[in-house]
PDB file of all heavy atoms in Angstrom:
ATOM      1  N   GLU A  62      76.405  11.665 198.379  1.00  0.00           N
ATOM      2  CA  GLU A  62      75.312  11.682 197.296  1.00  0.00           C
ATOM      3  C   GLU A  62      74.242  12.567 197.861  1.00  0.00           C
ATOM      4  O   GLU A  62      73.831  12.464 199.009  1.00  0.00           O
ATOM      5  CB  GLU A  62      74.779  10.334 196.976  1.00  0.00           C
ATOM      6  CG  GLU A  62      73.787  10.368 195.932  1.00  0.00           C
ATOM      7  CD  GLU A  62      73.267   8.939 195.353  1.00  0.00           C
ATOM      8  OE1 GLU A  62      73.914   7.964 195.795  1.00  0.00           O
ATOM      9  OE2 GLU A  62      72.285   8.883 194.679  1.00  0.00           O
ATOM     10  N   VAL A  63      73.662  13.439 196.947  1.00  0.00           N
ATOM     11  CA  VAL A  63      72.464  14.130 197.186  1.00  0.00           C
ATOM     12  C   VAL A  63      71.320  13.421 196.611  1.00  0.00           C
ATOM     13  O   VAL A  63      70.978  13.569 195.430  1.00  0.00           O
ATOM     14  CB  VAL A  63      72.603  15.535 196.590  1.00  0.00           C
ATOM     15  CG1 VAL A  63      71.389  16.541 197.114  1.00  0.00           C
ATOM     16  CG2 VAL A  63      73.982  16.262 197.037  1.00  0.00           C
ATOM     17  N   ILE A  64      70.513  12.703 197.432  1.00  0.00           N
ATOM     18  CA  ILE A  64      69.458  11.874 196.985  1.00  0.00           C
ATOM     19  C   ILE A  64      68.384  12.706 196.279  1.00  0.00           C
ATOM     20  O   ILE A  64      67.815  12.155 195.229  1.00  0.00           O
ATOM     21  CB  ILE A  64      68.865  11.071 198.198  1.00  0.00           C
ATOM     22  CG1 ILE A  64      69.912  10.251 198.920  1.00  0.00           C
ATOM     23  CG2 ILE A  64      67.714  10.244 197.728  1.00  0.00           C
ATOM     24  CD1 ILE A  64      70.604   9.282 198.026  1.00  0.00           C
ATOM     25  N   ARG A  65      68.065  13.859 196.797  1.00  0.00           N
ATOM     26  CA  ARG A  65      66.942  14.606 196.259  1.00  0.00           C
ATOM     27  C   ARG A  65      67.287  15.022 194.852  1.00  0.00           C
ATOM     28  O   ARG A  65      66.359  15.446 194.069  1.00  0.00           O
ATOM     29  CB  ARG A  65      66.514  15.775 197.049  1.00  0.00           C
ATOM     30  CG  ARG A  65      67.634  16.950 197.144  1.00  0.00           C
ATOM     31  CD  ARG A  65      67.258  17.926 198.104  1.00  0.00           C
ATOM     32  NE  ARG A  65      68.282  19.029 198.215  1.00  0.00           N
ATOM     33  CZ  ARG A  65      68.406  20.113 197.408  1.00  0.00           C
ATOM     34  NH1 ARG A  65      67.440  20.263 196.518  1.00  0.00           N
ATOM     35  NH2 ARG A  65      69.374  20.972 197.559  1.00  0.00           N
ATOM     36  N   LEU A  66      68.555  15.149 194.463  1.00  0.00           N
ATOM     37  CA  LEU A  66      68.860  15.662 193.112  1.00  0.00           C
ATOM     38  C   LEU A  66      69.268  14.417 192.242  1.00  0.00           C
ATOM     39  O   LEU A  66      69.265  14.533 190.992  1.00  0.00           O
ATOM     40  CB  LEU A  66      70.206  16.427 193.229  1.00  0.00           C
ATOM     41  CG  LEU A  66      70.063  17.824 194.000  1.00  0.00           C
ATOM     42  CD1 LEU A  66      71.265  18.590 193.965  1.00  0.00           C
ATOM     43  CD2 LEU A  66      68.911  18.670 193.258  1.00  0.00           C
ATOM     44  N   SER A  67      69.504  13.332 192.743  1.00  0.00           N
ATOM     45  CA  SER A  67      69.840  12.091 191.983  1.00  0.00           C
ATOM     46  C   SER A  67      68.662  11.404 191.458  1.00  0.00           C
ATOM     47  O   SER A  67      67.521  11.720 191.847  1.00  0.00           O
ATOM     48  CB  SER A  67      70.681  11.131 192.848  1.00  0.00           C
ATOM     49  OG  SER A  67      72.017  11.629 193.150  1.00  0.00           O
ATOM     50  N   GLY A  68      68.723  10.242 190.752  1.00  0.00           N
ATOM     51  CA  GLY A  68      67.726   9.427 190.385  1.00  0.00           C
ATOM     52  C   GLY A  68      67.119   9.699 188.940  1.00  0.00           C
ATOM     53  O   GLY A  68      66.280   8.895 188.543  1.00  0.00           O
ATOM     54  N   MET A  69      67.444  10.641 188.372  1.00  0.00           N
ATOM     55  CA  MET A  69      67.033  11.080 186.988  1.00  0.00           C
ATOM     56  C   MET A  69      67.805  10.217 185.926  1.00  0.00           C
ATOM     57  O   MET A  69      69.022   9.905 186.122  1.00  0.00           O
ATOM     58  CB  MET A  69      67.210  12.526 186.725  1.00  0.00           C
ATOM     59  CG  MET A  69      66.619  13.008 185.473  1.00  0.00           C
ATOM     60  SD  MET A  69      67.046  14.672 184.984  1.00  0.00           S
ATOM     61  CE  MET A  69      66.798  15.502 186.650  1.00  0.00           C
ATOM     62  N   ASN A  70      67.196   9.863 184.805  1.00  0.00           N
ATOM     63  CA  ASN A  70      67.848   9.110 183.731  1.00  0.00           C
ATOM     64  C   ASN A  70      68.003  10.237 182.579  1.00  0.00           C
ATOM     65  O   ASN A  70      67.126  10.982 182.259  1.00  0.00           O
ATOM     66  CB  ASN A  70      67.130   8.045 183.161  1.00  0.00           C
ATOM     67  CG  ASN A  70      67.375   6.833 183.965  1.00  0.00           C
ATOM     68  OD1 ASN A  70      68.105   6.745 184.997  1.00  0.00           O
ATOM     69  ND2 ASN A  70      66.649   5.674 183.750  1.00  0.00           N
ATOM     70  N   LEU A  71      69.250  10.319 182.066  1.00  0.00           N
ATOM     71  CA  LEU A  71      69.484  11.197 180.840  1.00  0.00           C
ATOM     72  C   LEU A  71      69.653  10.264 179.648  1.00  0.00           C
ATOM     73  O   LEU A  71      70.283   9.170 179.698  1.00  0.00           O
ATOM     74  CB  LEU A  71      70.759  11.905 181.135  1.00  0.00           C
ATOM     75  CG  LEU A  71      70.899  12.848 182.318  1.00  0.00           C
ATOM     76  CD1 LEU A  71      72.234  13.493 182.439  1.00  0.00           C
ATOM     77  CD2 LEU A  71      69.720  13.861 182.383  1.00  0.00           C
ATOM     78  N   VAL A  72      69.005  10.680 178.606  1.00  0.00           N
ATOM     79  CA  VAL A  72      69.105   9.882 177.303  1.00  0.00           C
ATOM     80  C   VAL A  72      70.338  10.356 176.555  1.00  0.00           C
ATOM     81  O   VAL A  72      70.455  11.446 176.176  1.00  0.00           O
ATOM     82  CB  VAL A  72      67.743  10.024 176.548  1.00  0.00           C
ATOM     83  CG1 VAL A  72      67.908   9.264 175.130  1.00  0.00           C
ATOM     84  CG2 VAL A  72      66.591   9.549 177.196  1.00  0.00           C
ATOM     85  N   ILE A  73      71.260   9.397 176.303  1.00  0.00           N
ATOM     86  CA  ILE A  73      72.429   9.633 175.511  1.00  0.00           C
ATOM     87  C   ILE A  73      72.448   8.595 174.336  1.00  0.00           C
ATOM     88  O   ILE A  73      72.583   7.482 174.568  1.00  0.00           O
ATOM     89  CB  ILE A  73      73.759   9.496 176.409  1.00  0.00           C
ATOM     90  CG1 ILE A  73      73.682  10.297 177.647  1.00  0.00           C
ATOM     91  CG2 ILE A  73      74.974   9.785 175.578  1.00  0.00           C
ATOM     92  CD1 ILE A  73      73.764  11.741 177.511  1.00  0.00           C
ATOM     93  N   ASN A  74      72.188   9.172 173.197  1.00  0.00           N
ATOM     94  CA  ASN A  74      72.204   8.226 171.929  1.00  0.00           C
ATOM     95  C   ASN A  74      71.211   7.180 172.044  1.00  0.00           C
ATOM     96  O   ASN A  74      71.587   6.035 171.786  1.00  0.00           O
ATOM     97  CB  ASN A  74      73.617   7.828 171.714  1.00  0.00           C
ATOM     98  CG  ASN A  74      73.775   7.349 170.255  1.00  0.00           C
ATOM     99  OD1 ASN A  74      73.131   7.969 169.261  1.00  0.00           O
ATOM    100  ND2 ASN A  74      74.585   6.319 169.996  1.00  0.00           N
ATOM    101  N   ASP A  75      70.048   7.491 172.678  1.00  0.00           N
ATOM    102  CA  ASP A  75      68.925   6.492 172.829  1.00  0.00           C
ATOM    103  C   ASP A  75      69.187   5.564 173.886  1.00  0.00           C
ATOM    104  O   ASP A  75      68.521   4.490 174.060  1.00  0.00           O
ATOM    105  CB  ASP A  75      68.740   5.743 171.471  1.00  0.00           C
ATOM    106  CG  ASP A  75      67.301   5.162 171.390  1.00  0.00           C
ATOM    107  OD1 ASP A  75      66.388   5.742 172.008  1.00  0.00           O
ATOM    108  OD2 ASP A  75      67.004   4.235 170.668  1.00  0.00           O
ATOM    109  N   MET A  76      70.186   5.729 174.804  1.00  0.00           N
ATOM    110  CA  MET A  76      70.279   4.965 176.022  1.00  0.00           C
ATOM    111  C   MET A  76      69.953   5.720 177.216  1.00  0.00           C
ATOM    112  O   MET A  76      70.384   6.960 177.310  1.00  0.00           O
ATOM    113  CB  MET A  76      71.826   4.431 175.973  1.00  0.00           C
ATOM    114  CG  MET A  76      72.271   3.506 174.903  1.00  0.00           C
ATOM    115  SD  MET A  76      73.905   2.924 175.148  1.00  0.00           S
ATOM    116  CE  MET A  76      74.837   4.555 175.127  1.00  0.00           C
ATOM    117  N   ASP A  77      69.271   5.205 178.108  1.00  0.00           N
ATOM    118  CA  ASP A  77      68.981   5.743 179.488  1.00  0.00           C
ATOM    119  C   ASP A  77      70.289   5.460 180.315  1.00  0.00           C
ATOM    120  O   ASP A  77      70.641   4.436 180.753  1.00  0.00           O
ATOM    121  CB  ASP A  77      67.791   5.101 180.152  1.00  0.00           C
ATOM    122  CG  ASP A  77      66.497   5.613 179.587  1.00  0.00           C
ATOM    123  OD1 ASP A  77      66.466   6.581 178.843  1.00  0.00           O
ATOM    124  OD2 ASP A  77      65.462   5.005 179.810  1.00  0.00           O
ATOM    125  N   MET A  78      70.739   6.719 180.801  1.00  0.00           N
ATOM    126  CA  MET A  78      71.899   6.709 181.705  1.00  0.00           C
ATOM    127  C   MET A  78      71.720   7.434 183.029  1.00  0.00           C
ATOM    128  O   MET A  78      71.342   8.549 182.968  1.00  0.00           O
ATOM    129  CB  MET A  78      73.051   7.360 181.041  1.00  0.00           C
ATOM    130  CG  MET A  78      73.524   6.871 179.670  1.00  0.00           C
ATOM    131  SD  MET A  78      73.902   5.081 179.533  1.00  0.00           S
ATOM    132  CE  MET A  78      75.501   5.086 180.444  1.00  0.00           C
ATOM    133  N   PRO A  79      71.584   6.683 184.124  1.00  0.00           N
ATOM    134  CA  PRO A  79      71.339   7.181 185.487  1.00  0.00           C
ATOM    135  C   PRO A  79      72.260   8.311 185.807  1.00  0.00           C
ATOM    136  O   PRO A  79      73.473   8.249 185.711  1.00  0.00           O
ATOM    137  CB  PRO A  79      71.397   6.090 186.355  1.00  0.00           C
ATOM    138  CG  PRO A  79      71.433   4.807 185.632  1.00  0.00           C
ATOM    139  CD  PRO A  79      72.067   5.316 184.241  1.00  0.00           C
ATOM    140  N   LEU A  80      71.597   9.461 186.447  1.00  0.00           N
ATOM    141  CA  LEU A  80      72.448  10.579 186.805  1.00  0.00           C
ATOM    142  C   LEU A  80      72.491  10.571 188.375  1.00  0.00           C
ATOM    143  O   LEU A  80      71.459  10.444 189.043  1.00  0.00           O
ATOM    144  CB  LEU A  80      71.727  11.901 186.419  1.00  0.00           C
ATOM    145  CG  LEU A  80      72.293  13.146 187.009  1.00  0.00           C
ATOM    146  CD1 LEU A  80      73.660  13.501 186.530  1.00  0.00           C
ATOM    147  CD2 LEU A  80      71.358  14.367 186.632  1.00  0.00           C
ATOM    148  N   ILE A  81      73.710  10.510 188.840  1.00  0.00           N
ATOM    149  CA  ILE A  81      73.946  10.602 190.302  1.00  0.00           C
ATOM    150  C   ILE A  81      74.715  11.908 190.642  1.00  0.00           C
ATOM    151  O   ILE A  81      75.523  12.242 189.992  1.00  0.00           O
ATOM    152  CB  ILE A  81      74.893   9.538 190.824  1.00  0.00           C
ATOM    153  CG1 ILE A  81      74.231   8.137 190.453  1.00  0.00           C
ATOM    154  CG2 ILE A  81      75.229   9.529 192.210  1.00  0.00           C
ATOM    155  CD1 ILE A  81      75.221   6.912 190.456  1.00  0.00           C
ATOM    156  N   ILE A  82      74.231  12.618 191.656  1.00  0.00           N
ATOM    157  CA  ILE A  82      74.784  13.941 192.038  1.00  0.00           C
ATOM    158  C   ILE A  82      75.428  13.782 193.380  1.00  0.00           C
ATOM    159  O   ILE A  82      74.737  13.310 194.395  1.00  0.00           O
ATOM    160  CB  ILE A  82      73.697  15.082 192.108  1.00  0.00           C
ATOM    161  CG1 ILE A  82      72.962  15.191 190.737  1.00  0.00           C
ATOM    162  CG2 ILE A  82      74.277  16.386 192.550  1.00  0.00           C
ATOM    163  CD1 ILE A  82      73.803  15.571 189.764  1.00  0.00           C
ATOM    164  N   LYS A  83      76.653  14.181 193.528  1.00  0.00           N
ATOM    165  CA  LYS A  83      77.418  14.135 194.749  1.00  0.00           C
ATOM    166  C   LYS A  83      77.806  15.568 195.133  1.00  0.00           C
ATOM    167  O   LYS A  83      77.837  16.510 194.175  1.00  0.00           O
ATOM    168  CB  LYS A  83      78.526  13.192 194.655  1.00  0.00           C
ATOM    169  CG  LYS A  83      78.083  11.676 194.589  1.00  0.00           C
ATOM    170  CD  LYS A  83      79.196  10.716 194.532  1.00  0.00           C
ATOM    171  CE  LYS A  83      78.603   9.322 194.385  1.00  0.00           C
ATOM    172  NZ  LYS A  83      79.647   8.256 194.046  1.00  0.00           N
ATOM    173  N   VAL A  84      78.211  15.856 196.291  1.00  0.00           N
ATOM    174  CA  VAL A  84      78.587  17.241 196.662  1.00  0.00           C
ATOM    175  C   VAL A  84      79.738  17.118 197.687  1.00  0.00           C
ATOM    176  O   VAL A  84      79.844  16.101 198.451  1.00  0.00           O
ATOM    177  CB  VAL A  84      77.309  17.961 197.194  1.00  0.00           C
ATOM    178  CG1 VAL A  84      76.889  17.346 198.602  1.00  0.00           C
ATOM    179  CG2 VAL A  84      77.660  19.380 197.303  1.00  0.00           C
ATOM    180  N   ALA A  85      80.506  18.086 197.797  1.00  0.00           N
ATOM    181  CA  ALA A  85      81.562  18.125 198.758  1.00  0.00           C
ATOM    182  C   ALA A  85      81.775  19.696 198.866  1.00  0.00           C
ATOM    183  O   ALA A  85      81.465  20.485 198.127  1.00  0.00           O
ATOM    184  CB  ALA A  85      82.821  17.529 198.318  1.00  0.00           C
ATOM    185  N   SER A  86      82.571  19.956 200.023  1.00  0.00           N
ATOM    186  CA  SER A  86      82.993  21.407 200.267  1.00  0.00           C
ATOM    187  C   SER A  86      84.512  21.611 200.290  1.00  0.00           C
ATOM    188  O   SER A  86      85.258  20.703 200.730  1.00  0.00           O
ATOM    189  CB  SER A  86      82.421  21.871 201.586  1.00  0.00           C
ATOM    190  OG  SER A  86      81.003  21.803 201.538  1.00  0.00           O
ATOM    191  N   ILE A  87      84.986  22.694 199.772  1.00  0.00           N
ATOM    192  CA  ILE A  87      86.310  23.132 199.925  1.00  0.00           C
ATOM    193  C   ILE A  87      86.501  23.928 201.232  1.00  0.00           C
ATOM    194  O   ILE A  87      85.978  24.979 201.267  1.00  0.00           O
ATOM    195  CB  ILE A  87      86.870  23.888 198.774  1.00  0.00           C
ATOM    196  CG1 ILE A  87      86.608  23.208 197.300  1.00  0.00           C
ATOM    197  CG2 ILE A  87      88.207  24.301 198.881  1.00  0.00           C
ATOM    198  CD1 ILE A  87      86.886  24.042 196.166  1.00  0.00           C
ATOM    199  N   PRO A  88      86.801  23.240 202.384  1.00  0.00           N
ATOM    200  CA  PRO A  88      86.733  23.702 203.656  1.00  0.00           C
ATOM    201  C   PRO A  88      87.284  25.192 203.828  1.00  0.00           C
ATOM    202  O   PRO A  88      86.574  26.052 204.220  1.00  0.00           O
ATOM    203  CB  PRO A  88      87.600  22.696 204.546  1.00  0.00           C
ATOM    204  CG  PRO A  88      87.581  21.542 203.763  1.00  0.00           C
ATOM    205  CD  PRO A  88      87.633  21.931 202.386  1.00  0.00           C
ATOM    206  N   ARG A  89      88.508  25.504 203.411  1.00  0.00           N
ATOM    207  CA  ARG A  89      89.089  26.843 203.780  1.00  0.00           C
ATOM    208  C   ARG A  89      88.303  27.869 203.019  1.00  0.00           C
ATOM    209  O   ARG A  89      88.570  29.160 203.477  1.00  0.00           O
ATOM    210  CB  ARG A  89      90.583  26.816 203.436  1.00  0.00           C
ATOM    211  CG  ARG A  89      90.944  26.573 202.015  1.00  0.00           C
ATOM    212  CD  ARG A  89      92.426  26.766 201.798  1.00  0.00           C
ATOM    213  NE  ARG A  89      92.819  26.601 200.505  1.00  0.00           N
ATOM    214  CZ  ARG A  89      93.009  25.403 199.856  1.00  0.00           C
ATOM    215  NH1 ARG A  89      92.957  24.289 200.407  1.00  0.00           N
ATOM    216  NH2 ARG A  89      93.473  25.335 198.577  1.00  0.00           N
ATOM    217  N   GLU A  90      87.596  27.599 202.012  1.00  0.00           N
ATOM    218  CA  GLU A  90      87.005  28.697 201.272  1.00  0.00           C
ATOM    219  C   GLU A  90      85.418  28.654 201.388  1.00  0.00           C
ATOM    220  O   GLU A  90      84.647  29.479 200.977  1.00  0.00           O
ATOM    221  CB  GLU A  90      87.264  28.559 199.695  1.00  0.00           C
ATOM    222  CG  GLU A  90      88.642  28.755 199.416  1.00  0.00           C
ATOM    223  CD  GLU A  90      89.158  30.239 199.601  1.00  0.00           C
ATOM    224  OE1 GLU A  90      88.327  31.066 199.799  1.00  0.00           O
ATOM    225  OE2 GLU A  90      90.463  30.438 199.680  1.00  0.00           O
ATOM    226  N   ARG A  91      84.861  27.623 202.179  1.00  0.00           N
ATOM    227  CA  ARG A  91      83.515  27.383 202.326  1.00  0.00           C
ATOM    228  C   ARG A  91      82.747  27.406 200.998  1.00  0.00           C
ATOM    229  O   ARG A  91      81.739  28.026 200.813  1.00  0.00           O
ATOM    230  CB  ARG A  91      82.994  28.428 203.218  1.00  0.00           C
ATOM    231  CG  ARG A  91      83.462  28.386 204.655  1.00  0.00           C
ATOM    232  CD  ARG A  91      82.830  29.345 205.579  1.00  0.00           C
ATOM    233  NE  ARG A  91      83.359  29.364 206.838  1.00  0.00           N
ATOM    234  CZ  ARG A  91      83.061  30.130 207.875  1.00  0.00           C
ATOM    235  NH1 ARG A  91      82.060  31.144 207.655  1.00  0.00           N
ATOM    236  NH2 ARG A  91      83.563  30.080 209.137  1.00  0.00           N
ATOM    237  N   ILE A  92      83.293  26.869 199.906  1.00  0.00           N
ATOM    238  CA  ILE A  92      82.869  26.618 198.689  1.00  0.00           C
ATOM    239  C   ILE A  92      82.281  25.129 198.536  1.00  0.00           C
ATOM    240  O   ILE A  92      83.000  24.169 198.776  1.00  0.00           O
ATOM    241  CB  ILE A  92      83.812  26.942 197.608  1.00  0.00           C
ATOM    242  CG1 ILE A  92      84.211  28.531 197.715  1.00  0.00           C
ATOM    243  CG2 ILE A  92      83.469  26.592 196.200  1.00  0.00           C
ATOM    244  CD1 ILE A  92      85.276  28.914 196.657  1.00  0.00           C
ATOM    245  N   GLN A  93      81.066  25.142 197.983  1.00  0.00           N
ATOM    246  CA  GLN A  93      80.509  23.778 197.751  1.00  0.00           C
ATOM    247  C   GLN A  93      80.541  23.471 196.276  1.00  0.00           C
ATOM    248  O   GLN A  93      80.551  24.252 195.367  1.00  0.00           O
ATOM    249  CB  GLN A  93      79.022  23.765 198.164  1.00  0.00           C
ATOM    250  CG  GLN A  93      78.414  22.346 198.343  1.00  0.00           C
ATOM    251  CD  GLN A  93      76.918  22.452 198.876  1.00  0.00           C
ATOM    252  OE1 GLN A  93      76.146  23.246 198.349  1.00  0.00           O
ATOM    253  NE2 GLN A  93      76.748  21.836 200.000  1.00  0.00           N
ATOM    254  N   VAL A  94      80.920  22.174 196.008  1.00  0.00           N
ATOM    255  CA  VAL A  94      81.138  21.672 194.655  1.00  0.00           C
ATOM    256  C   VAL A  94      80.164  20.479 194.374  1.00  0.00           C
ATOM    257  O   VAL A  94      80.006  19.530 195.146  1.00  0.00           O
ATOM    258  CB  VAL A  94      82.546  21.231 194.434  1.00  0.00           C
ATOM    259  CG1 VAL A  94      82.783  20.730 192.946  1.00  0.00           C
ATOM    260  CG2 VAL A  94      83.617  22.277 194.840  1.00  0.00           C
ATOM    261  N   TYR A  95      79.490  20.576 193.303  1.00  0.00           N
ATOM    262  CA  TYR A  95      78.544  19.527 192.849  1.00  0.00           C
ATOM    263  C   TYR A  95      79.285  18.642 191.773  1.00  0.00           C
ATOM    264  O   TYR A  95      79.948  19.113 190.828  1.00  0.00           O
ATOM    265  CB  TYR A  95      77.266  20.143 192.249  1.00  0.00           C
ATOM    266  CG  TYR A  95      76.458  20.762 193.028  1.00  0.00           C
ATOM    267  CD1 TYR A  95      76.506  22.126 193.465  1.00  0.00           C
ATOM    268  CD2 TYR A  95      75.326  20.089 193.714  1.00  0.00           C
ATOM    269  CE1 TYR A  95      75.762  22.808 194.252  1.00  0.00           C
ATOM    270  CE2 TYR A  95      74.529  20.793 194.636  1.00  0.00           C
ATOM    271  CZ  TYR A  95      74.670  22.139 194.875  1.00  0.00           C
ATOM    272  OH  TYR A  95      73.815  22.756 195.730  1.00  0.00           O
TER     273      TYR A  95
END
């Protein structure tokens, strides 16, 4: 988890839904994925 990017709530049809952001890397390509 990327703490600095997580923690926001998104409103979906009048409901607050917490947003969590995680990250990983594809090693052989040095590509980061959110």
Side-chain angles (χ1 to χ4, degrees):
E62 185 175 351
V63 185
I64 302 298
R65 68 184 178 89
L66 297 176
S67 297
M69 185 189 313
N70 278 359
L71 303 180
V72 178
I73 308 296
N74 201 38
D75 206 23
M76 295 184 298
D77 280 349
M78 305 302 289
L80 173 63
I81 301 166
I82 304 298
K83 296 177 179 175
V84 70
S86 295
I87 303 175
R89 65 179 179 273
E90 297 294 343
R91 296 182 181 178
I92 289 176
Q93 198 170 55
V94 180
Y95 292 86

